[in-house]
Amino acid sequence: MMLIILLMIMQTFTSNIDVQISYIDASLINIHWCSDTVLALTSKGSVYRSDDRGRQWIKMSEIFHRKALIQLEDSDDRVGIVNNLVASPVDKQLILFTGTDQIAWISLDCGKTITAINAGKQLREYQFHPIEKDWIIASAWKQCGSDELLAGTPCVSYKELLLSQDTGITWHSIATYVNQFTWGVKNKDMAKYTPKERILASFEPQGKGHQSISSWNIDANLYYSDDFFQTRTLSVPAGSRFLLTESFLFVAKVTSQYTQEVSLYVSGTELGQYKYAIIDADSKLLEHSYSILDTSENQVFMIVNHLKPSSPLGVIYISDSTGTRYSRSLENVARLENSAEFYRVQGLEGIYLANVYSEDQAKIYSHQVQEAMEEGFYAQQNGFKDEDLKKYKQTRITFDKGGQWVPLKPPTVDADGKPINCNKCQLHIHLSQSFYQFAPIYTQANSIGIIIATGSIGKYLSYRQDQVNTYLSRDGGLTWIEIKKGSYIYEMSNHGGLVVMSKDQETTNQIVFSWNGGMEWTPFNFLDQKAEIQNIITEPQNKGTRFIAYGSIQLESNGIKTEQGLLATIDLDELHQRNCIGQDKPGEIGSDYELWTPSGLVNPECLFGKKVTYMRKRREAACYNPDSLEKIISVTPCQCSQEDYECDLGFVMNNQLCVPINGTLNIDPPAECNGYYTISSGYRKIAGDICEGGVEHPSMRFSCPNNKGWIFDWLVIGGIIFGLYWVYNNQDKVKEYFTKTEMTQLPQSKSDKLIKQLQQKQPKQQQQQQQQYQPINLEQNDSQDQKFDEELIEKDENIQMEDDGSHELI
């Protein structure tokens, strides 16, 4: 009886939800918001427009076709259909609709009026200028025309670069045999010191015949021009591919066409000048590709493929603040075609996630690749195939921008409140949709600390539907909660206070929503029959209560079933959820808000060298946040801990210590040595970290050979080399010694200082917390496994926090 009453109350409660259902000709491939106007593009090339934020939709295909016929003088041969929407960064009302043939369309008012443009060829790779509204560059392939074929004249195919300065009405070619291109400025700040006319392009200056389409083309040089290529400046010979960011210009210079090896050069962009330096990395292995993963926090994350071309394995490197010196951050990373399974948490500094392949399986694979290369570079290795590695994928997270990577701590109970009992437990999550259809990880800059993801608990990431569940973290990935059994697609709004989800691995007619971070879910049937839900989105500000669920549905008419696209606009505003109270008294009784400070692994309440206190809604407070919510309360520097440092160039993390790669340290003085020179202690402070005092890792200073103290210093250096060699081969003994010896008791010679810095013991409180997050050795014996499980699952109250964000291949 109580259940019936509860269902009746819930039905009455959800009956106020406003739902508008629209059926379209196919599933969506793109959607764009222009304030109240929304544009949607289907897989059949049809454009739909809504002028009331998704309630009613108008099909515009006939308008597009009619406008194209006017341009083609009623010839229906080369109209084509729309295949993409490109929005201007200057004016979100300015939309370019690219086509599958020589016609494209443009609108200055988000689709209310349409103009067809005819460049005489199919244009691709459109790029609006970031400042000048009317300037566009694009590419087109020169193809063999019917006149050439009839005349029997030689025909060649190549890609050309075209420019329009009148919003696409007219175009003219400015370069041929083009490989890649971009505008030379990213925003107004860059335009202060770089001419806004600048274009960067890699192309073959002596191109002839059919253009090569290989990944790395040694005949293509990187040029730039400030007058639309009336003149040009050679920037990097054999600079086949490049990536321009606001701070850096990266260029891949081809060193071997046959083996497809490249070297990476980098330059700053200040003052509009490019002064290149080859990246200084601690590896000189074969390099077949570079992908810049992230440059958003004054450092560069880069993944390098050191094995064969198209290898699924990569190594992540992290730069210093100059972008030129790189040290290893993470091995055996899962590479994708243009990037990697890598993710930056939006809204919080220094937190990243990556998927890796288990170390033992990656070693087997790498060994077989090396053996195959010895027999012949393109020989296929026997035994371990690329696809075999997918079964051994694991997730790692860093809270100090790549300094240390650790497994995800799994939840202690499942979504039904039952204890999770498993051996060698780790949580692994899906970071990408590249291969499978599980929803990828999701964060928002205005929903601080909240992460939603699908994944599994076990030794490896699972792709079985019956093992994948949906998880949420409220502390930036430090701890996790299983919020729903099974895989869901999700969206959040209202500063993370409202979460809406729907099943995505089976047909459904239902959404579920929660106002309290998944503690309670309200189901709502928004369809009469089941459909496949592809995605759920909300308005770009992610603050309101209106959501659009889209996908496909089977409809039957006169006994015939047809598949159609679905657009369901769901507005929860009429539920009249109560407004949150107590913004002026966070943390006090009666307030819906709390104070929260992100935490890393070592230093409590500190992340990235500072303690940032946020105000946010308590998880259990089922209320509506105001659109404007002041979140940051205070920011204060922290005392430095080991977490504020990363391994310097030439060093690698080993058992929580930065040790020289291969046990050797380069102590040679520089070619130009004047007075003294320094040797790194193995650590460098993370770029942008503002910690003060505490743990320090100063470099060692030595006299140059021409200095009078050089004999003594070289004797000391000899001692350092011997000491480092002994430390590298006796790490377990050294760590055991340091756990029993106070730092003040250690000798203070130059040699001992350096060894001390390499093996520095952490404060006891930091060490205890760190042990609970050390990377897991899955080959431990049973007693070690039992100890780990007890620490990870049963003792999480020691580390539990308060219960309450483009990859490009170059």
Side-chain angles (χ1 to χ4, degrees):
M1 178 63 70
M2 290 296 296
L3 179 61
I4 295 175
I5 294 174
L6 180 62
L7 291 175
M8 292 178 62
I9 294 173
M10 187 174 296
Q11 185 175 6
T12 302
F13 177 70
T14 57
S15 63
N16 293 327
I17 297 177
D18 180 27
V19 179
Q20 297 292 326
I21 304 297
S22 300
Y23 299 112
I24 54 180
D25 63 8
S27 58
L28 284 190
I29 61 173
N30 201 346
I31 191 165
H32 176 72
W33 293 78
C34 313
S35 61
D36 290 343
T37 300
V38 190
L39 295 172
L41 175 64
T42 74
S43 58
K44 289 186 176 180
S46 299
V47 177
Y48 290 79
R49 191 184 84 245
S50 171
D51 293 324
D52 55 6
R53 299 166 59 214
R55 290 179 58 84
Q56 303 293 330
W57 296 87
I58 302 170
K59 188 175 183 179
M60 302 181 65
S61 299
E62 186 176 329
I63 298 173
F64 278 80
H65 190 77
R66 187 170 63 251
K67 295 288 186 178
L69 290 179
I70 295 174
Q71 279 289 335
L72 293 171
E73 298 178 352
D74 294 329
S75 173
D76 201 22
D77 295 337
R78 307 294 302 275
V79 173
I81 59 174
V82 177
N83 63 2
N84 197 14
L85 309 178
V86 183
S88 167
V90 179
D91 181 2
K92 63 182 179 181
Q93 299 286 324
L94 174 56
I95 309 296
L96 181 65
F97 303 86
T98 66
T100 58
D101 216 305
Q102 70 184 49
I103 291 294
W105 298 262
I106 200 158
S107 174
L108 304 179
D109 50 15
C110 201
K112 293 180 181 179
T113 57
I114 300 293
T115 300
I117 54 179
N118 181 10
K121 59 194 75 177
Q122 183 186 1
L123 301 185
R124 309 166 186 265
E125 302 177 289
Y126 290 88
Q127 292 184 29
F128 280 103
H129 194 279
I131 301 171
E132 291 294 333
K133 177 180 176 180
D134 298 331
W135 293 4
I136 311 172
I137 50 178
S139 67
W141 277 90
K142 165 68 171 61
Q143 305 289 354
C144 297
S146 57
D147 294 339
E148 293 172 306
L149 295 175
L150 290 174
T153 56
C155 174
V156 294
S157 178
Y158 56 83
K159 186 165 75 171
E160 57 183 334
L161 174 61
L162 297 101
L163 167 72
S164 173
Q165 293 179 271
D166 54 10
T167 324
I169 303 302
T170 60
W171 297 85
H172 62 277
S173 177
I174 58 176
T176 58
Y177 289 86
V178 174
N179 188 27
Q180 187 188 2
F181 58 89
T182 189
W183 291 107
V185 295
K186 290 291 184 181
N187 49 43
K188 291 182 179 180
D189 289 337
M190 286 186 71
K192 294 176 181 178
Y193 48 81
T194 302
K196 64 181 180 181
E197 295 85 0
R198 178 165 297 180
I199 297 175
L200 293 159
S202 60
F203 59 87
E204 302 175 42
Q206 307 298 327
K208 61 177 64 175
H210 292 298
Q211 181 175 343
S212 170
I213 57 174
S214 63
S215 297
W216 302 115
N217 183 0
I218 201 168
D219 295 324
N221 303 328
L222 175 62
Y223 298 89
Y224 69 86
S225 173
D226 295 334
D227 55 10
F228 305 129
F229 281 99
Q230 295 181 45
T231 62
R232 68 193 188 200
T233 301
L234 175 63
S235 192
V236 178
S240 179
R241 303 281 295 177
F242 64 92
L243 172 66
L244 177 68
T245 72
E246 185 174 352
S247 302
F248 303 108
L249 173 59
F250 301 93
V251 184
K253 179 181 174 70
V254 183
T255 58
S256 172
Q257 186 73 49
Y258 173 65
T259 61
Q260 290 283 278
E261 295 172 47
V262 291
S263 295
L264 185 64
Y265 289 75
V266 62
S267 169
T269 59
E270 56 277 0
L271 303 180
Q273 302 295 320
Y274 307 130
K275 297 180 180 179
Y276 296 98
I278 190 169
I279 64 165
D280 192 2
D282 50 29
S283 175
K284 302 301 180 184
L285 302 177
L286 290 177
E287 296 159 346
H288 299 288
S289 67
Y290 303 87
S291 294
I292 305 301
L293 302 176
D294 184 69
T295 62
S296 61
E297 296 183 9
N298 301 315
Q299 276 183 292
V300 180
F301 274 100
M302 173 178 67
I303 185 166
V304 180
N305 171 18
H306 289 301
L307 292 174
K308 64 177 184 177
S310 73
S311 167
L313 280 178
V315 178
I316 286 182
Y317 289 79
I318 180 73
S319 78
D320 61 4
S321 59
T322 69
T324 59
R325 291 166 52 87
Y326 289 77
S327 57
R328 290 191 177 217
S329 178
L330 185 63
E331 308 272 350
N332 306 322
V333 180
R335 289 185 62 247
L336 302 176
E337 181 180 0
N338 294 328
S339 56
E341 295 195 34
F342 175 90
Y343 186 82
R344 179 173 68 92
V345 174
Q346 303 294 312
L348 291 174
E349 288 185 279
I351 303 180
Y352 296 80
L353 296 99
N355 278 339
V356 301
Y357 298 109
S358 67
E359 183 177 0
D360 52 348
Q361 301 297 330
K363 284 182 178 179
I364 295 173
Y365 174 84
S366 299
H367 179 70
Q368 292 187 359
V369 170
Q370 295 294 340
E371 287 184 339
M373 291 173 62
E374 291 175 2
E375 298 175 6
F377 188 79
Y378 292 106
Q380 174 64 46
Q381 71 268 22
N382 296 319
F384 216 125
K385 310 299 182 187
D386 290 5
E387 57 270 18
D388 293 336
L389 276 177
K390 296 175 184 176
K391 298 181 292 186
Y392 304 103
K393 197 174 291 182
Q394 302 172 324
T395 301
R396 298 290 182 261
I397 189 169
T398 177
F399 296 91
D400 56 0
K401 198 187 280 192
Q404 298 180 56
W405 294 86
V406 295
L408 296 184
K409 181 181 184 297
T412 57
V413 297
D414 66 9
D416 299 325
K418 299 178 181 178
I420 296 177
N421 298 312
C422 61
N423 191 24
K424 301 176 182 177
C425 273
Q426 299 177 35
L427 173 63
H428 310 285
I429 60 180
H430 294 277
L431 299 182
S432 169
Q433 274 187 307
S434 295
F435 303 111
Y436 303 91
Q437 295 304 308
F438 295 108
I441 186 172
Y442 183 50
T443 61
Q444 294 175 356
N446 67 355
S447 302
I448 300 296
I450 300 178
I451 308 174
I452 310 180
T454 57
S456 61
I457 296 174
K459 189 173 182 179
Y460 305 114
L461 178 64
S462 176
Y463 292 94
R464 287 179 48 179
Q465 292 186 20
D466 62 337
Q467 294 181 349
V468 174
N469 299 307
T470 305
Y471 299 89
L472 180 142
S473 174
R474 299 193 75 247
D475 50 21
L478 193 66
T479 60
W480 292 82
I481 308 160
E482 186 179 288
I483 55 174
K484 270 292 183 181
K485 290 289 185 182
S487 173
Y488 283 73
I489 188 69
Y490 27 73
E491 178 63 288
M492 56 182 165
S493 186
N494 193 229
H495 303 284
L498 174 60
V499 179
V500 177
M501 307 198 307
S502 180
K503 293 181 178 179
D504 65 346
Q505 297 299 307
E506 58 184 85
T507 58
T508 184
N509 63 343
Q510 185 181 88
I511 63 166
V512 294
F513 60 91
S514 174
W515 290 95
N516 53 16
M519 295 178 68
E520 299 171 313
W521 293 98
T522 301
F524 172 62
N525 295 340
F526 67 99
L527 288 171
D528 294 329
Q529 69 180 78
K530 293 185 176 182
E532 292 184 4
I533 303 303
Q534 179 183 349
N535 199 5
I536 301 175
I537 62 171
T538 188
E539 295 162 301
Q541 294 79 16
N542 296 96
K543 295 179 180 179
T545 58
R546 179 170 295 192
F547 298 81
I548 296 178
Y550 61 86
S552 59
I553 190 170
Q554 292 280 346
L555 296 179
E556 185 174 346
S557 177
N558 299 323
I560 301 175
K561 290 185 177 181
T562 59
E563 182 174 297
Q564 289 190 275
L566 169 73
L567 283 167
T569 303
I570 305 167
D571 196 337
L572 306 180
D573 186 59
E574 293 302 316
L575 296 178
H576 298 297
Q577 193 72 16
R578 74 173 180 87
N579 293 326
C580 298
I581 60 174
Q583 290 188 52
D584 57 335
K585 298 179 292 184
E588 297 184 13
I589 297 176
S591 174
D592 290 318
Y593 294 92
E594 65 181 0
L595 297 176
W596 173 68
T597 299
S599 174
L601 301 179
V602 178
N603 204 349
E605 295 191 334
C606 284
L607 189 65
F608 221 49
K610 55 181 172 288
K611 177 180 179 179
V612 183
T613 302
Y614 296 91
M615 180 184 70
R616 67 176 185 179
K617 184 168 75 73
R618 292 185 293 110
R619 185 187 182 198
E620 60 272 17
C623 57
Y624 184 82
N625 281 310
D627 289 347
S628 178
L629 183 64
E630 185 66 34
K631 294 182 284 293
I632 298 180
I633 303 300
S634 64
V635 179
T636 56
C638 293
Q639 190 176 61
C640 294
S641 70
Q642 196 64 30
E643 195 173 35
D644 298 298
Y645 293 87
E646 61 191 2
C647 292
D648 203 350
L649 178 68
F651 293 78
V652 65
M653 184 69 69
N654 191 328
N655 292 329
Q656 309 295 326
L657 300 170
C658 292
V659 298
I661 294 177
N662 300 323
T664 62
L665 180 66
N666 181 13
I667 46 77
D668 294 334
E672 296 182 5
C673 192
N674 184 17
Y676 294 90
Y677 67 99
T678 59
I679 296 176
S680 172
S681 61
Y683 298 84
R684 67 187 181 200
K685 187 179 287 189
I686 298 170
D689 194 298
I690 65 169
C691 71
E692 301 173 350
V695 174
E696 295 181 349
H697 291 290
S699 298
M700 300 300 295
R701 193 177 76 154
F702 296 98
S703 299
C704 292
N706 57 358
N707 228 13
K708 61 182 181 180
W710 69 272
I711 296 177
F712 174 76
D713 283 344
W714 276 98
L715 289 174
V716 172
I717 290 173
I720 291 174
I721 296 173
F722 175 79
L724 289 173
Y725 177 81
W726 186 88
V727 167
Y728 183 79
N729 290 281
N730 296 272
Q731 293 181 41
D732 293 336
K733 294 181 180 179
V734 173
K735 291 190 72 175
E736 182 180 358
Y737 172 75
F738 277 109
T739 59
K740 300 177 181 179
T741 306
E742 294 297 327
M743 295 302 293
T744 56
Q745 299 174 348
L746 296 178
Q748 297 299 308
S749 69
K750 291 183 179 179
S751 175
D752 290 324
K753 281 183 179 179
L754 185 53
I755 295 174
K756 166 186 170 182
Q757 291 167 357
L758 290 172
Q759 304 289 347
Q760 186 153 13
K761 173 192 158 188
Q762 306 302 311
K764 292 182 179 180
Q765 181 181 6
Q766 297 175 5
Q767 193 176 55
Q768 290 169 357
Q769 290 183 318
Q770 196 174 32
Q771 287 173 352
Q772 299 186 33
Y773 285 91
Q774 287 179 350
I776 302 166
N777 179 0
L778 297 176
E779 304 302 323
Q780 291 175 329
N781 58 39
D782 293 339
S783 62
Q784 289 174 316
D785 290 338
Q786 180 64 31
K787 180 180 180 181
F788 168 75
D789 291 338
E790 292 173 355
E791 290 180 347
L792 196 59
I793 297 175
E794 299 177 3
K795 298 182 180 180
D796 62 291
E797 60 268 12
N798 292 331
I799 45 79
Q800 181 85 19
M801 289 299 301
E802 288 184 358
D803 192 17
D804 333 55
S806 56
H807 300 157
E808 294 187 64
L809 176 70
I810 67 168

